[in-house]
Amino acid sequence: MRILILGGDGYLGWPTAMALAAEGHEVLTIDNYLRRLLAERTRSQALMRNPDLQERAEIFAAAGGPKIRVAIGDCANYLFLSRVVAEFQPEAAIHYAEQPSAPYSMIGFDEARLTLNNNLNTTFNLIWAVLERAPDCHIVKLGTMGEYGTPKIDIEEGWIEIEHAGRKDKFLFPRQAGSLYHTTKVLDTDLLWFYVRSSGLRVTDLMQGPVYGLSTAETDLDKRLMPNFHYDDIFGTVVNRFLVQAIAGIPLTVYGKGGQTRGYLNLRDTLQCVRLAIQNPVKRGELRILNQFTETLSVNDIALRVRAAAARLDLEVRVDHVANPRKEAEDHYYNPKNSGLLELGLKPSLMTEDVLTAMLRELVPYRHEIDLKKVRPRVSWSGGAR
Ligand code: USQ
């Protein structure tokens, strides 16, 4: 298939590009390096230096991988995006081209506006580029489990049937996100659903939980192919952060009580999920929503697992409960469904001590690169940057 990846330089975009190219798909990636720029601006650079997208594609090809095409440009610019779509005629477009950090979106007005403008414009432009230039293309959009928030009822996969005054109908599951970033994903879903209904778009919206992981089958070819691995408080996700903290010998930063529960998944499983979505496209005029995670864990559960894995490498780990910089429930009901991707064939690799120990081993050589100033929370939900 011809597959277009928007946001091909990102933590998920680059491993996805390699995995799909390795399977024989024709892959074109787009990026404008926005995340790299924002990471520089907020002093949140990734742990290891990542070559730029063009260099990564060259390293991959030199290591025996297939060709990955690269277009540097801004998906929020409609002329650029529609031209790429018209020329490439993708059969599937995977949309990762969003400002991905919840803390970044909560720093202040400028960061909130950038997140809103970028995320909605990229989605809106992709919708129109597909409608105008490649109307049969299947859009696979990365949404987030955070769209649902933490309601006191079970979370369905995207939809809920409601009975009201003796009549029934099916609606999008209620959404109440906990950050402006997560809210942009709610708005994305609404935009996609509107154009599915009005114009017959075909869309899969993947509600993904926080991802952890460092290597994939393709990164074994050359270490320079590793994804950008963030451990800072702004772009780093919690498991990756805790592993780096364990290696640095500093206490794990559990925010508040640590009962916050989310659906997690391994980076390798993200690749499986996206592949399954593409292999099983929906028909025109359908919005399929899949909850993309493999297990639910609290922050305290994760801290204990990281501590146990670190002990195997003789690393002693303390767990610290720091003041929670976010506004979120710290002790709550959480029961989301995730049968859709399993039914499509997902084989989960869970967050076992073996998996965490292997990640710690991979990270040890980078210990001297860890900058402790990036670790403590710097952004507060109530007052922007500290
Ligand atoms: N947390 C800590 N300590 C830390 C970092 C985080 O206790 O040092 C807690 C947070 O307060 C939160 C949980 O861990 O309760 C998850 O936080 P996270 O930073 O790993 O994830 P989040 O900010 O929600 O965002 C990440 C990705 C985002 C994706 C989302 C999926 O950055 O792109 O959409 O995970 S989800 O959380 O399901 O919405």
Side-chain angles (χ1 to χ4, degrees):
M1 286 171 81
R2 283 182 308 280
I3 301 177
L4 181 64
I5 300 180
L6 286 70
D9 187 53
Y11 175 54
L12 306 176
W14 174 243
T16 305
M18 289 193 293
L20 294 177
E23 274 173 22
H25 298 291
E26 197 181 330
V27 174
L28 171 60
T29 60
I30 309 180
D31 211 293
N32 66 342
Y33 300 126
L34 175 67
R35 194 239 342 126
R36 288 184 191 240
L37 177 75
L38 302 183
E40 291 271 345
R41 277 193 199 153
T42 55
R43 297 203 181 84
S44 307
Q45 294 89 342
L47 183 59
M48 49 284 278
R49 199 194 79 77
N50 300 109
D52 69 29
L53 197 46
Q54 193 65 55
E55 288 168 330
R56 286 169 147 180
E58 283 161 16
I59 294 165
F60 187 51
K67 183 178 164 66
I68 293 177
R69 286 170 60 189
V70 172
I72 299 303
D74 187 356
C75 298
N77 173 342
Y78 185 65
L79 282 182
F80 166 74
L81 184 64
S82 66
R83 203 169 47 231
V84 171
V85 170
E87 282 167 14
F88 186 58
Q89 287 297 307
E91 290 152 277
I94 307 171
H95 178 16
Y96 292 112
E98 303 220 341
Q99 189 298 95
S101 161
Y104 180 85
S105 75
M106 300 301 287
I107 292 176
F109 176 78
D110 289 342
E111 294 81 3
R113 184 175 56 181
L114 182 148
T115 304
L116 184 75
N117 285 346
N118 180 76
N119 294 4
L120 287 183
N121 280 331
T122 55
T123 301
F124 184 73
N125 287 350
L126 177 62
I127 290 170
W128 273 95
V130 165
L131 288 177
E132 292 196 322
R133 307 292 189 185
D136 221 29
C137 175
H138 176 204
I139 295 179
V140 176
K141 164 73 179 28
L142 269 289
T144 169
M145 284 299 291
E147 292 186 34
Y148 302 120
T150 52
K152 295 188 186 74
I153 60 172
D154 291 356
I155 298 174
E156 303 297 325
E157 294 206 68
W159 306 94
I160 189 167
E161 199 171 81
I162 294 181
E163 194 174 337
H164 176 66
R167 299 176 68 83
K168 272 193 207 160
D169 204 349
K170 198 172 104 177
F171 298 92
L172 283 173
F173 192 89
R175 283 147 159 81
Q176 37 193 5
S179 77
L180 190 270
Y181 153 74
H182 289 100
T183 301
T184 62
K185 298 260 180 176
V186 174
L187 300 171
D188 283 341
T189 299
D190 275 333
L191 273 179
L192 291 162
W193 178 214
F194 172 70
Y195 283 104
V196 163
R197 296 196 310 273
S198 71
S199 310
L201 214 57
R202 49 164 90 190
V203 179
T204 298
D205 201 351
L206 297 170
M207 300 294 133
Q208 185 171 240
V211 182
Y212 61 93
L214 179 59
S215 59
T216 66
E218 288 72 33
T219 60
D220 291 344
L221 294 172
D222 188 314
K223 290 283 168 242
R224 291 171 297 168
L225 297 173
M226 293 227 263
N228 43 277
F229 185 88
H230 282 276
Y231 62 98
D232 56 273
D233 62 314
I234 295 181
F235 291 96
T237 47
V238 63
V239 183
N240 291 350
R241 275 169 59 68
F242 282 3
L243 291 167
V244 168
Q245 292 167 10
I247 283 175
I250 57 172
L252 307 188
T253 54
V254 171
Y255 293 167
K257 289 188 203 154
Q260 303 92 305
T261 303
R262 303 285 183 268
Y264 290 87
L265 80 163
N266 193 300
L267 173 58
R268 291 173 190 252
D269 287 350
T270 294
L271 305 185
Q272 270 194 72
C273 293
V274 169
R275 182 188 302 126
L276 288 167
I278 289 168
Q279 283 168 351
N280 299 279
V282 293
K283 53 184 193 309
R284 295 281 295 269
E286 186 183 344
L287 169 63
R288 171 177 57 185
I289 300 178
L290 298 166
N291 292 347
Q292 184 163 311
F293 65 91
T294 54
E295 58 193 321
T296 57
L297 295 164
S298 71
V299 178
N300 286 329
D301 294 332
I302 294 168
L304 291 180
R305 286 187 192 197
V306 169
R307 187 163 71 182
R312 290 187 181 181
L313 302 185
D314 292 328
L315 295 167
E316 201 181 314
V317 169
R318 257 189 40 223
V319 177
D320 209 359
H321 286 262
V322 303
N324 195 340
R326 306 184 181 199
K327 282 209 175 88
E328 60 183 356
E330 294 178 2
D331 197 2
H332 58 90
Y333 182 77
Y334 199 61
N335 191 26
K337 305 267 169 68
N338 66 339
S339 53
L341 281 157
L342 295 170
E343 279 160 19
L344 288 179
L346 171 65
K347 302 270 177 294
S349 45
L350 300 177
M351 201 190 300
T352 59
E353 264 176 50
D354 281 348
V355 165
L356 294 175
T357 309
M359 275 186 75
L360 285 167
R361 284 212 174 87
E362 282 185 288
L363 289 168
V364 166
Y366 299 94
R367 184 188 307 214
H368 57 282
E369 303 286 350
I370 301 170
D371 176 357
L372 296 182
K373 289 196 291 300
K374 294 176 181 162
V375 172
R376 301 294 285 188
R378 292 170 292 176
V379 182
S380 147
W381 261 223
S382 51
R386 287 177 170 177

